[in-house]
Amino acid sequence: MDRGTWRATIQGVPKNWIQLGDGPPGGAMETSRRLSREQIFVLISAASINLGSMMCYSILGPFFPKEAEKKGASNTVIGTIFGCYALFDFLASLVFGKYLVHIGAKFMFVAGMFVSGAVTVLFGLLDQVPEGPVFIAMCFLLRITDAISFEAAITASSSIVAKAFPNNVATVLGSLETFSGLGLVLGPPLGGFLYQSFGYEVPFIFLGCIVLLMVPLNMCILPNYESDKGKHSFWKLITLPKVAFLSFVITSFSSCFGFLDPTLSLFVLEKFNLPAGYVGLVFLGLALSYAISSPLVGLLSDKMPHLRKWLLVFGNLTLAGCYMLLGPAPFLHIKSQLWLLVLILVINGISAGIGLIPTFPEILSCAHENGFEEGLSTLGLVSGLFGAMWSVGAFVGPTLGGFLYEKIGFEWAAALQGLWALTSGLAMGLFYLLEHLRRRRRSELQNILGTEEERTALLSDER
């Protein structure tokens, strides 16, 4: 999840977002560098939901597919269990993004975190459920509830952060991705080792209780922002051509991430015969590299907003190459080795940070350029849209990935997944190129018209 600084004169952000005080600009810039108490509390709250939610999400990877197989679930069903989370995440994003102002950002955040923690605890009791249809039905029920609650918390969190840090959204949200990456780093190995040492229940109960303990903390420290209801809709936002292409990019990245959930652990277990505890460490390369690269990309996106477009394109194309080499694809005739797999996952995480971080500020700046009002209502729409598009890919990725893994194997399935990233990268690059040519043509036309007006004025003066 990723954002950026917008120059008021170019991207339509009002001057009162740039200057935080009534004094001269120099004093305003000094004030903006000092975090207020409210901003510190927002950072703590956002970091807690990023860390807790990603740990709960990623803990399933190392051992749940194998455990579900024992309960009678096929690879396709397992992929659908992972994928249904994203489907309902998508629906919840649209609802919560639209009605954020009506519900209240703080209430949505705290309530979502509470339900997510409780559902994680209940997920740890699924081994007591009879195998077959009952087990599968309970998996779907809990994953759907967790998806809705998580999306409520994360939509509210993104909107609150963007409201609290209007001048440095990319830097702050990129830095918060460190906690998302840390959750992805800690979740798989912690879950794998707890599962190996204590069985199925302990990983879920342990993490669920940690999330529940964060709820009273956030009730006390999270500020409550009020805002007027907006007049714009998701439909108007997503029908903007640039936003539509950016939505495709977000979907591509989330699909690539989601693809690995039901497939990578099974591939590593079969190919390299690693124990469950060590399978979680394989996920470490992806999560750690993403966590480290995200703040750096966010800072670069804020300092040099003109580079965002090329970061997006480069990140997509690099990601496509990573998925071709993940298996590797059979047509490359490269032998699959554990060190190569880990290296590709590291590059995968870096390319994801490069391509994903600039998308949020690009959408938000495009919205402001096209008449969307500043405030929590627009931030809610953008956050909801980002979550919805992420969820589409996160549904298709594991669902299709589980099916393709079962039919054609991991190597070919990963290569096909890479084609998605390649397509989105090329499409985004073509759009930016056409946009540049269109602006250049408009600028030349304005210069010609301006020159003709000057000549006409001179001629009239001579007469």
Side-chain angles (χ1 to χ4, degrees):
M1 293 116 249
D2 327 316
R3 345 300 179 193
T5 310
W6 313 282
R7 291 172 294 182
T9 57
I10 296 177
Q11 295 172 316
V13 178
K15 293 180 180 178
N16 64 334
W17 280 33
I18 302 299
Q19 185 166 325
L20 300 180
D22 297 328
M29 290 304 294
E30 290 176 9
T31 305
S32 67
R33 292 194 187 99
R34 301 193 193 99
L35 294 179
S36 67
R37 184 182 178 189
E38 183 178 284
Q39 288 176 320
I40 293 172
F41 286 163
V42 167
L43 287 176
I44 293 172
S45 296
S48 69
I49 189 62
N50 282 25
L51 178 64
S53 63
M54 294 321 303
M55 286 181 70
C56 292
Y57 178 83
S58 63
I59 193 176
L60 275 71
F63 61 88
F64 180 77
K66 210 70 182 176
E67 201 68 29
E69 278 186 342
K70 294 178 186 176
K71 290 282 191 176
S74 66
N75 287 333
T76 302
V77 171
I78 294 170
T80 309
I81 290 172
F82 278 95
C84 78
Y85 184 99
L87 176 62
F88 284 85
D89 217 12
F90 166 75
L91 298 173
S93 297
L94 299 177
V95 174
F96 291 134
K98 175 66 175 176
Y99 295 102
L100 174 72
V101 177
H102 302 73
I103 299 171
K106 180 175 181 177
F107 176 79
M108 188 185 291
F109 183 101
V110 174
M113 178 176 267
F114 173 78
V115 176
S116 182
V119 168
T120 302
V121 172
L122 292 175
F123 213 96
L125 305 178
L126 284 178
D127 66 329
Q128 308 297 325
V129 174
E131 64 180 38
V134 177
F135 171 80
I136 293 171
M138 290 303 298
C139 285
F140 277 113
L141 178 62
L142 291 179
R143 286 288 280 177
I144 289 168
T145 307
D146 194 23
I148 295 171
S149 59
F150 164 76
E151 190 53 43
I154 208 69
T155 298
S157 174
S158 300
S159 303
I160 290 171
V161 168
K163 179 72 173 176
F165 297 91
N167 302 329
N168 304 287
V169 186
T171 302
V172 174
L173 289 179
S175 300
L176 288 172
E177 286 301 296
T178 302
F179 292 91
S180 298
L182 187 60
L184 291 171
V185 166
L186 295 176
L190 179 63
F193 282 115
L194 287 176
Y195 170 77
Q196 197 170 314
S197 303
F198 303 103
Y200 177 83
E201 299 94 341
V202 172
F204 295 101
I205 295 174
F206 176 74
L207 284 182
C209 289
I210 289 179
V211 173
L212 288 174
L213 288 174
M214 294 177 183
V215 171
L217 171 67
N218 285 292
M219 289 177 68
C220 296
I221 68 173
L222 190 66
N224 193 12
Y225 290 115
E226 300 293 339
S227 181
D228 295 330
K229 299 168 186 175
K231 60 182 179 180
H232 297 291
S233 65
F234 276 112
W235 180 249
K236 183 177 179 182
L237 182 62
I238 200 170
T239 50
L240 298 173
K242 186 175 182 178
V243 173
F245 276 98
L246 289 167
S247 298
F248 184 53
V249 168
I250 295 168
T251 303
S252 168
F253 274 102
S254 62
S255 175
C256 289
F257 273 121
F259 168 83
L260 299 176
D261 287 333
T263 60
L264 184 60
S265 63
L266 293 175
F267 173 70
V268 171
L269 286 169
E270 292 174 7
K271 196 78 175 179
F272 306 109
N273 297 315
L274 292 179
Y278 290 97
V279 172
L281 295 176
V282 175
F283 286 82
L284 193 67
L286 172 66
L288 193 59
S289 59
Y290 178 71
I292 293 172
S293 64
S294 294
L296 300 177
V297 175
L299 182 62
L300 182 63
S301 178
D302 274 342
K303 296 296 182 183
M304 291 182 266
H306 61 280
L307 289 181
R308 287 185 199 139
K309 55 174 72 84
W310 307 121
L311 291 173
L312 278 165
V313 175
F314 178 75
N316 271 269
L317 298 181
T318 308
L319 191 71
C322 287
Y323 274 80
M324 296 294 177
L325 292 168
L326 203 57
F331 61 82
L332 295 175
H333 304 292
I334 300 174
K335 185 181 178 182
S336 179
Q337 299 180 68
L338 185 59
W339 70 266
L340 178 62
L341 177 69
V342 174
L343 175 62
I344 294 301
L345 287 173
V346 169
I347 300 173
N348 191 347
I350 295 172
S351 61
I354 292 172
L356 188 61
I357 297 299
T359 53
F360 192 99
E362 281 286 281
I363 294 175
L364 190 53
S365 62
C366 182
H368 289 311
E369 287 169 1
N370 286 274
F372 281 71
E373 64 273 5
E374 295 84 17
L376 205 56
S377 59
T378 298
L379 293 172
L381 287 177
V382 174
S383 299
L385 177 65
F386 186 98
M389 293 302 102
W390 181 270
S391 300
V392 170
F395 171 72
V396 175
T399 304
L400 187 60
F403 174 77
L404 291 175
Y405 180 90
E406 196 171 349
K407 299 298 180 183
I408 60 177
F410 181 83
E411 293 87 352
W412 280 113
L416 289 176
Q417 182 64 49
L419 289 178
W420 191 335
L422 179 64
T423 303
S424 67
L426 293 175
M428 200 75 240
L430 181 61
F431 174 82
Y432 278 128
L433 181 61
L434 293 174
E435 183 184 55
H436 172 73
L437 292 174
R438 194 162 52 245
R439 287 180 177 176
R440 184 176 175 181
R441 223 178 278 121
R442 190 184 304 127
S443 177
E444 290 174 353
L445 182 61
Q446 288 175 349
N447 289 336
I448 292 171
L449 292 174
T451 305
E452 289 179 352
E453 288 177 359
E454 289 176 4
R455 287 176 181 173
T456 304
L458 287 172
L459 290 171
S460 62
D461 289 342
E462 289 175 0
R463 289 172 185 172

